[in-house]
Amino acid sequence: MLVKTFPPRRLFGLIVLFLVYHSRTILGLPCQAWPRSDSSRTRSLNGPVAVFKPRLGKLLNNPHCFIPYRELAHPRLGLALSGGGARCLAQIGVLLALEENDFQIDFIAGTSMGSFVGGMYAAGYSAAQLREIVLKIAWEEIMKDTPPRKNLLLSQKQERDLTLLQIRLNGIKPRIPRALTAGQKLHSVLTELTWKANYWASGSFDNLRIPFRALATDVYSGEEVVLDSGDLSEAIRASGALPLLIAPVPKDGLLLVDGGVMNNIPVDIVRRFGIEIVIAVDATSNLRPQDQLSLPWEFADQVTTIMQQERNARQRAAADILISFEDLSRSSLDFTQLDSLIQLGYERMVAQIPKLRELYKSGDLAHLQTEERIYAVREIRTASEETAPASAHARNGSNLRMTASAIQQVVDDLYAGGDYHTVEARLAGDTLTYALMRNPVLRGVRLHGNTVYADSVLLACLKTPLGAHLNHRQGREDLVALIEHYRRDGYALAEIKHVQLDSSSGILGITIDEGRIARIEIGGLQRTQQMVVLREFSLRAGEIFNSTRARQGIDNIHSTGLFENVSLMPQRQLADGALLQIKVEEKPYNVIRLGDYYQSERGNFAFLEIGNENVLGTASKLFLHGGLGTRDQEVKISWRSDRIFKTFLTLSANAYHVAQENSIYDEQFLDKTLGKYSERRTGLRLSVGQQVRRFGALTAELRWEEINFDSLFGSGYPVSKSGITALALRSVVDTRDQLPFTRGGRYVNVSYEYAKPPAPKEKSFVKFFSHAESFHSFGPHTLHSRFLGGIADATTPFSEQFRLGGPQQVFGLREHQFLGRHLVLGSLGYRYQLRKRPFFDTYLSMRYDVSGLWLDQKHASYKKFRHSVGVAITLDTPFGPVGVALGTYENRQKRVYFNLGIPF
């Protein structure tokens, strides 16, 4: 082997390094580097040749690096992260402090929310990324499992908007939910995060960047369960399934709930895996005060906290370093001001860094020789295959006093830099020689298996330049960056399968498995046909797995309303690709629905529906509907299929009998009632249509109807019995985000109807109707615009004319006060949500209406438009909106309206 002297720059660096380590020795002060005996500290005679090699630990091999190498050995550091709800997010600050001070974490065990922080960190997110994630999550929405309205088909939106209460039946017994929420939204958020992480568990949590364990409790046996494999998102959800608040998670014959029930600070679990230094981060909730014990899950949390106290004390005492938030008064459900909480965790960990360094230092002593020696070094050399030997003398030939630990540290630092695959120091006499062997030179890179991206796109992710020596650390970062590029676009199963450097050519071969799907399996189906699940999941065997499409597919399956929970577990266990396992938990399909609405104009109206949501396992719905009100009664039997087989065609049929009491008013004297009549309709409707994604539908409807008008008193209406056959074509688009307090979106309904009375002498007629609304919000402010327009033939009978009036259409008018064949209505509305709610979310609103309704076209004129204005205050209660409104029409008629519930 050739020997060379250090270049001046490198020599200067080494000398500075030695000066830092041995400033006391060089200055002639007693050496106190290690707590050895006096003889070992003063001994300075050089003995036989001393050899120093890097203290090596775990082997990192293909496919995690360009060429195999070992990490440096160090005392193993583990984290025990407690539960505690929102308080646990302070643990992110602890991770920030550890990263900032270059401490490597070797094992994490977490309970409840601690399993979320620990699991996400173990999967590859940095502490800074975790901070961004938790600040973006809408924590106040995380417990709402109702699918977002945008995920529903049009018919599902209309159905859900009307229902106040829904009861599911197991046979004839009501099914009582196990918790407030089934946890589907929480699971959906966790799934998306784990799919986008840099490291994929591949079945075992030891395959993550940091080995990880989640703690849960089995309800059946009452035993602690350590989750070490499977679906990471499912494990985190099970670990945090707080009794009565989040439903238990069934897994492998167990029923799992919050791990904090048995072990809220899992120090013993970390110790069990051979960790020398354990940091316990205790964010355990304090006992709740009396005024915070009103809800069932608050009582459950209080009892659990009491049960944990003794074991928590033992676990705290067993940790080497304890970061406690016992003095923090924040509630476990308070997700406000998270930045300050994370900062508090950072500050408390920084205060413990000196103690942690001492623990590391004492752990390092076990790796050193039993006698610490001090050597007199006159000459430092370096040996490599690349240059001829030369020599350089430290400090102009004067002796440099160096301890064994300092030489060892230099060797470790040289190896840790990543440029050398072999580092060795030999001290012979007063000459110290460093034998360094550089990593091979990278001459080229060849990619195999990539079809999603061109070679040039992926090669741009690699920062190691051609012609340069490989660096272990940079190579590992390059491979992570390559996979991150796939992850950013949703290719969550992409991974590096093999990395091989051809030593003769310097060509690096990288083989990528992009995650092609080999097979899709569905578990948990009892009654539902597989077709119902697969038609909502757009990915197919043979395609490359994409987490964005997969997440949308899972949301679509859940939005059918047939399943309590839906999860997806991809596995790379097949020789020809990945196995996707969709797991569902079916709901009972026999349903009772209740709805109620009160309006001062028409009084009360309530309905009851009994039916089956999954006829023959096809997701079609069969319901018997009955409604009874002050002025309205109805009976219906309906069948509906939102999707026919795998198409987006929809089909429905319903037979009905509807009865109403309506009034006729004088157009000149608005408060005067001319008459009152009874209107009864009995008929059958058949509808076929095409769903347009999830925002609308095109439908054709046939209607056969018999209509009866009976006199109650007065005049102004026909007393007759007639029939009608009609064909209607409709186009509906509904992108409103929520009802009734819509913040964004549009609603458009355009219809064309051709109708013919059965009597030969009666003439047919045509009606055209359009309805458009738009909502725009900024902060607590919402602007609402609306337009209604309708045109009907002069032959259109009384029963089919347009109606106008009531607070939903025109302020100041009674319900259905005007009738006619030509309709125009425009509205501009403004709504403000109070920032401080008295009891419920409270809204103040105002609206301006301009309208016209004429019996004949010759009477229609913009000069005859009528104006009205109204204001309202509405509370969003658990029983529906409760509101009071005051409206005036043309300054001729003023009315006060009261409503409870959503009108239907």
Side-chain angles (χ1 to χ4, degrees), residues 61-78:
N61 205 341
N62 195 332
H64 301 293
C65 49
F66 286 170
I67 54 177
Y69 76 103
R70 289 185 178 274
E71 291 183 335
L72 287 177
H74 61 274
R76 301 185 71 207
L77 174 63

Side-chain angles (χ1 to χ4, degrees), residues 337-447:
Q337 298 179 336
L338 296 182
D339 258 336
S340 62
L341 184 62
I342 294 171
Q343 179 64 23
L344 180 62
Y346 172 81
E347 292 171 357
R348 295 198 174 178
M349 185 66 243
V350 167
Q352 295 291 329
I353 291 298
K355 181 178 180 180
L356 182 56
R357 293 196 189 282
E358 287 300 317
L359 289 171
Y360 254 71
K361 182 177 179 181
S362 61
D364 275 340
L365 293 177
H367 298 282
L368 297 174
Q369 48 195 339
T370 56
E371 285 192 59
E372 173 74 319
R373 302 192 59 177
I374 299 176
Y375 299 99
V377 179
R378 289 181 58 85
E379 187 175 11
I380 299 176
R381 297 182 177 184
T382 181
S384 82
E385 301 169 330
E386 301 172 2
T387 59
S391 64
H393 298 277
R395 297 170 58 87
N396 299 319
S398 61
N399 287 339
L400 180 65
R401 295 163 61 86
M402 300 181 65
T403 62
S405 58
I407 299 173
Q408 182 65 57
Q409 188 64 53
V410 172
V411 169
D412 288 346
D413 289 345
L414 285 170
Y415 185 82
D419 290 324
Y420 307 101
H421 68 81
T422 300
V423 177
E424 183 178 286
R426 290 177 174 270
L427 184 62
D430 59 2
T431 300
L432 178 62
T433 303
Y434 288 94
L436 309 174
M437 184 171 293
R438 293 289 297 270
N439 290 326
V441 174
L442 180 65
R443 304 295 182 187
V445 179
R446 290 178 182 169
L447 299 173

Side-chain angles (χ1 to χ4, degrees), residues 376-531:
V377 179
R378 289 181 58 85
E379 187 175 11
I380 299 176
R381 297 182 177 184
T382 181
S384 82
E385 301 169 330
E386 301 172 2
T387 59
S391 64
H393 298 277
R395 297 170 58 87
N396 299 319
S398 61
N399 287 339
L400 180 65
R401 295 163 61 86
M402 300 181 65
T403 62
S405 58
I407 299 173
Q408 182 65 57
Q409 188 64 53
V410 172
V411 169
D412 288 346
D413 289 345
L414 285 170
Y415 185 82
D419 290 324
Y420 307 101
H421 68 81
T422 300
V423 177
E424 183 178 286
R426 290 177 174 270
L427 184 62
D430 59 2
T431 300
L432 178 62
T433 303
Y434 288 94
L436 309 174
M437 184 171 293
R438 293 289 297 270
N439 290 326
V441 174
L442 180 65
R443 304 295 182 187
V445 179
R446 290 178 182 169
L447 299 173
H448 308 278
N450 55 305
T451 61
V452 177
Y453 303 110
D455 287 2
S456 59
V457 174
L458 297 180
L459 290 175
C461 299
L462 309 181
K463 301 305 180 185
T464 302
L466 298 182
H469 288 273
L470 294 177
N471 179 282
H472 297 309
R473 298 172 64 177
Q474 185 61 56
R476 193 173 184 183
E477 292 174 5
D478 283 352
L479 293 175
V480 169
L482 192 152
I483 290 302
E484 277 185 339
H485 190 83
Y486 275 92
R487 295 283 193 274
R488 281 194 296 269
D489 291 336
Y491 299 102
L493 295 187
E495 66 174 353
I496 307 295
K497 292 296 291 184
H498 188 71
V499 179
Q500 183 67 48
L501 179 70
D502 187 323
S503 57
S504 61
S505 65
I507 302 298
L508 183 71
I510 301 177
T511 302
I512 303 170
D513 180 352
E514 294 183 318
R516 197 169 296 276
I517 303 168
R519 191 166 73 247
I520 300 175
E521 295 180 353
I522 304 172
L525 292 180
Q526 298 177 1
R527 182 174 179 178
T528 308
Q529 297 180 22
Q530 282 199 9
M531 171 265 298

Side-chain angles (χ1 to χ4, degrees), residues 565-780:
N565 280 297
V566 184
S567 61
L568 174 64
M569 177 60 183
Q571 298 181 23
R572 300 189 186 98
Q573 64 182 35
L574 303 178
D576 54 344
L579 169 66
L580 302 190
Q581 291 183 320
I582 301 173
K583 186 167 65 175
V584 300
E585 182 183 354
E586 291 188 345
K587 293 179 180 178
Y589 299 130
N590 294 323
V591 177
I592 297 176
R593 296 193 188 115
L594 301 171
D596 186 70
Y597 174 64
Y598 175 82
Q599 187 191 58
S600 53
E601 288 298 303
R602 294 195 68 83
N604 190 67
F605 183 80
F607 74 81
L608 169 69
E609 288 183 341
I610 302 175
N612 188 295
E613 287 190 326
N614 196 9
V615 177
L616 302 177
T618 62
S620 58
K621 298 168 175 58
L622 180 63
F623 276 88
L624 177 64
H625 170 102
L628 180 63
T630 307
R631 299 172 61 182
D632 304 85
Q633 300 85 41
E634 61 186 29
V635 177
K636 299 178 184 178
I637 183 169
S638 62
W639 173 87
R640 187 182 88 237
S641 178
D642 294 325
R643 295 188 63 178
I644 300 174
F645 301 111
K646 294 184 179 182
T647 72
F648 276 91
L649 292 175
T650 179
L651 186 63
S652 66
N654 68 83
Y656 57 90
H657 175 77
V658 178
Q660 295 181 333
E661 290 183 4
N662 294 315
S663 299
I664 296 293
Y665 302 97
D666 191 313
E667 291 192 18
Q668 297 298 322
F669 303 97
L670 299 177
D671 287 331
K672 183 178 180 181
T673 303
L674 298 178
K676 182 179 290 187
Y677 62 93
S678 170
E679 178 180 342
R680 290 178 288 115
R681 295 172 182 259
T682 303
L684 174 68
R685 295 174 185 262
L686 296 177
S687 175
V688 61
Q690 171 73 41
Q691 304 278 6
V692 182
R693 299 185 187 176
R694 295 183 179 269
F695 59 77
L698 300 171
T699 59
E701 179 187 85
L702 278 174
R703 171 168 62 105
W704 295 273
E705 196 169 68
E706 183 180 279
I707 307 166
N708 290 276
F709 289 100
D710 295 319
S711 175
L712 297 178
F713 77 82
S715 61
Y717 51 83
V719 177
S720 62
K721 179 179 180 180
S722 62
I724 195 170
T725 300
L727 170 64
L729 303 177
R730 291 189 179 88
S731 173
V732 179
V733 173
D734 187 354
T735 63
R736 293 173 293 182
D737 55 359
Q738 61 185 25
L739 286 181
F741 302 105
T742 306
R743 289 188 53 80
R746 291 177 173 82
Y747 176 79
V748 178
N749 180 354
V750 179
S751 66
Y752 170 87
E753 185 175 26
Y754 170 80
K756 178 152 183 31
K761 294 183 180 180
E762 296 185 23
K763 295 183 178 180
S764 61
F765 63 90
V766 171
K767 287 174 60 178
F768 175 83
F769 176 76
S770 64
H771 176 185
E773 294 186 71
S774 178
F775 297 84
H776 301 276
S777 294
F778 46 99

Side-chain angles (χ1 to χ4, degrees), residues 274-381:
I275 300 300
E276 289 90 4
I277 303 174
V278 179
I279 300 176
V281 188
D282 177 18
T284 305
S285 301
N286 300 318
L287 291 176
R288 295 173 179 268
Q290 184 175 350
D291 61 351
Q292 294 182 18
L293 287 172
S294 56
L295 298 172
W297 49 88
E298 293 175 343
F299 275 97
D301 183 47
Q302 184 84 334
V303 172
T304 302
T305 303
I306 294 171
M307 294 170 58
Q308 294 166 352
Q309 287 182 319
E310 183 178 346
R311 183 166 186 177
N312 286 349
R314 294 198 304 269
Q315 297 283 51
R316 293 188 195 100
D320 298 295
I321 293 178
L322 174 65
I323 309 295
S324 176
F325 299 93
E326 187 177 5
D327 59 328
L328 190 63
S329 60
R330 177 189 289 259
S331 161
S332 61
L333 295 179
D334 182 3
F335 287 92
T336 61
Q337 298 179 336
L338 296 182
D339 258 336
S340 62
L341 184 62
I342 294 171
Q343 179 64 23
L344 180 62
Y346 172 81
E347 292 171 357
R348 295 198 174 178
M349 185 66 243
V350 167
Q352 295 291 329
I353 291 298
K355 181 178 180 180
L356 182 56
R357 293 196 189 282
E358 287 300 317
L359 289 171
Y360 254 71
K361 182 177 179 181
S362 61
D364 275 340
L365 293 177
H367 298 282
L368 297 174
Q369 48 195 339
T370 56
E371 285 192 59
E372 173 74 319
R373 302 192 59 177
I374 299 176
Y375 299 99
V377 179
R378 289 181 58 85
E379 187 175 11
I380 299 176
R381 297 182 177 184

